Amino acid sequence: MSDAVIIKTRKFKRNPLLARKQMIVDVIHPGRANVAKTELGDLIANMYKADAKLTILFGFRTKFGGGKSTGFCLIYDNEESMIKFEPKHRMIRIGVTEKKEKSRKAIKEAKNKGLKIRGTGASIAKHKAKRAAMSE
């Protein structure tokens, strides 16, 4: 069994509003359990002449029996658009931003403080409570 990996892309779409290219990625990997996202990111970035830091892969599922995986790929045009449009959890995964550690108790206290206030001041109070939870 070889370590060769074949990458095929389909449903390619250029999305100018979100400043990215998006596609479904099929990875054929006989003899391997699966392929690391970092390795795939480098290969796909080379295929589309893009920066590997701006390539985001997610949602990979290995087919029953192994040997083939399918997932989704986004290649952003620049880092500003990636930071603007990409969800925070994916940016934390690839290492662009760090996760802010906050206690479970602080989050619950902020939620309950926001629930106690009614009317137009509720959104302001929730915002202040969230800020207080962040600072703890």
Side-chain angles (χ1 to χ4, degrees):
M1 297 274 181
S2 65
D3 285 343
V5 174
I6 300 165
I7 298 173
K8 294 179 182 176
T9 59
R10 58 189 167 92
K11 294 191 178 180
F12 178 87
K13 184 186 287 186
R14 177 83 189 90
N15 193 335
L17 290 175
L18 298 177
R20 70 185 185 195
K21 301 173 194 115
Q22 54 195 50
M23 67 205 85
I24 293 175
V25 180
D26 292 323
V27 184
I28 300 167
H29 47 89
R32 290 176 72 170
N34 50 28
V35 187
K37 285 183 194 167
T38 52
E39 187 181 334
L40 284 176
D42 293 337
L43 293 170
I44 291 171
N46 289 337
M47 280 172 60
Y48 286 94
K49 296 177 180 69
D51 189 9
K53 290 185 285 186
L54 302 176
T55 305
I56 293 165
L57 297 147
F58 61 95
F60 275 85
R61 290 281 172 258
T62 306
K63 298 283 186 234
F64 180 73
K68 184 180 179 185
S69 298
T70 303
F72 207 74
C73 176
L74 305 172
I75 302 172
Y76 282 92
D77 296 344
N78 51 44
E79 197 166 351
E80 295 85 47
S81 60
M82 182 178 74
I83 291 168
K84 184 177 180 182
F85 297 119
E86 198 60 22
K88 286 183 178 60
H89 72 275
R90 275 197 233 137
M91 302 241 289
I92 290 166
R93 266 185 212 165
I94 62 170
V96 175
T97 58
E98 290 86 38
K99 185 176 181 181
K100 293 178 183 171
E101 293 295 327
K102 48 192 173 184
S103 68
R104 182 178 165 89
K105 185 178 179 184
I107 294 166
K108 287 185 174 289
E109 283 175 356
K111 178 194 68 108
N112 290 330
K113 194 178 271 188
L115 289 174
K116 288 176 186 169
I117 299 165
R118 295 180 60 203
T120 55
S123 63
I124 296 166
K126 283 179 187 175
H127 180 71
K128 285 183 179 177
K130 198 179 264 189
R131 280 279 172 101
M134 291 280 196
S135 65
E136 286 181 10

